[in-house]
Amino acid sequence: MKITLEEAVEKLMAAKKLLITAHVNPDGDAIGSTLALAAFLRGRGKEATVMIDDRVPKNLLFLPGSDKIVRPEEGKKADAELLVILDTSPDRIGEVEKAAAGLPVLNLDHHISNDGKADFLYNDNRAAAAEIIFEIVDRFGGEFTPDVATPIYTGLATDTGFFKFSNTRPETLRAAARLLEAGVRPEKVSEALEEKPEALVRGQAAALQTMELSYGGRVAGLYLDRELATSLDTTEGFIDFVRVIEGVDIAVLVKCMDENFCRVSVRSKGLDVSKVAMKFGGGGHIRAAGFSVKKPLAEAKKDVLEALGEVLK
Ligand SMILES: [Mn+2]
């Protein structure tokens, strides 16, 4: 059921113990929005636990509260009254689904592709889930303390490519301005997010070796085999190496995570790639989408390129 932001806040306020989650393979918005909401709710006297079915990426561990993020444990039910899912439809939260089985689900998401399957859904086409949390804190009597402000800023910055992408709107920059007034240090956030271990820079070099252009140079891809993909802490930003190539309309990153399981990210300069993501059961926006293919690398690559060919037509 679709609800308004006011109704979503009522749901949050009616619960005493809340379990907050986001998608697997979490990014700065997934981690930032969940941490900020948890901090805001704790400030309102509530018990809020952030549970993510994945490791927190190393470059997000600077965020206050990231050390308190828990992972679901097999056979263990979460002690909460409400499951809050941010930054995704309920189908991408991994094993948190089992830990929270039976709980009512409140979903706050900024992806237009949201499947609408949550009990209660607030879905608005914002720059980031963190922008929704910003508005909740701003409109419903919260304070932009560091443990709220820094994660929100991080979510905004990562989902907009540091305010470069087309999803950057006046509201996004106004929110960011308010967060700076509250004391967020933008250079500290970017330094933390951009810092890389030597191994990652070497991994980037190896990933670039896999670069292939298709469709007369209109699609550029990186295709990481299991050894390379699983040796990397993160592949955030990899797709941008090939996205900037002259004449490229669509950039794609295919990562083989297991024998029959590949994760795929797609970026375009305007063509609608969300259709491709939906075809494979994933989600995203017109220009940025992600999904997985349960096939080995070579087959996944073939399927993905075929689907992208349709978009180019
Ligand atoms: Mn997001």
Side-chain angles (χ1 to χ4, degrees), residues 230-242:
T230 55
S231 73
L232 296 163
D233 253 0
T234 174
T235 51
E236 191 143 351
F238 278 34
I239 201 162
D240 297 315
F241 301 150
V242 292

Side-chain angles (χ1 to χ4, degrees), residues 74-198:
E74 215 183 314
K76 202 178 153 194
K77 283 275 163 65
D79 178 23
E81 297 153 42
L82 180 69
L83 173 66
V84 186
I85 301 175
L86 303 180
D87 200 30
T88 177
S89 298
D91 61 340
R92 286 189 64 219
I93 61 170
E95 297 297 312
V96 177
E97 202 175 330
K98 283 181 196 150
L103 293 183
V105 176
L106 171 64
N107 190 189
L108 310 175
D109 192 15
H110 69 115
H111 297 96
I112 49 163
S113 58
N114 188 291
D115 66 11
K117 293 211 172 115
D119 299 318
F120 308 103
L121 169 67
Y122 175 72
N123 193 196
D124 197 16
N125 189 19
R126 315 279 186 116
E131 202 177 293
I132 299 174
I133 307 304
F134 175 87
E135 194 172 332
I136 289 177
V137 176
D138 188 36
R139 279 180 50 193
F140 299 92
E143 260 186 83
F144 290 110
T145 50
D147 54 347
V148 172
T150 304
I152 294 179
Y153 182 87
T154 300
L156 295 178
T158 49
D159 265 23
T160 60
F162 279 91
F163 311 101
K164 280 189 302 198
F165 302 152
S166 63
N167 60 346
T168 309
R169 298 165 310 133
E171 292 86 342
T172 318
L173 292 171
R174 274 186 211 113
R178 288 277 308 282
L179 296 167
L180 294 200
E181 281 166 355
V184 169
R185 298 271 302 273
E187 82 285 14
K188 295 287 175 205
V189 174
S190 68
E191 278 164 20
L193 290 175
E194 287 165 2
E195 191 175 76
K196 291 170 190 157
E198 178 196 340

Side-chain angles (χ1 to χ4, degrees), residues 42-55:
R42 285 186 199 118
R44 304 291 291 253
K46 300 187 179 300
E47 277 181 47
T49 305
V50 177
M51 182 185 280
I52 308 264
D53 185 18
D54 232 323
R55 272 190 307 166

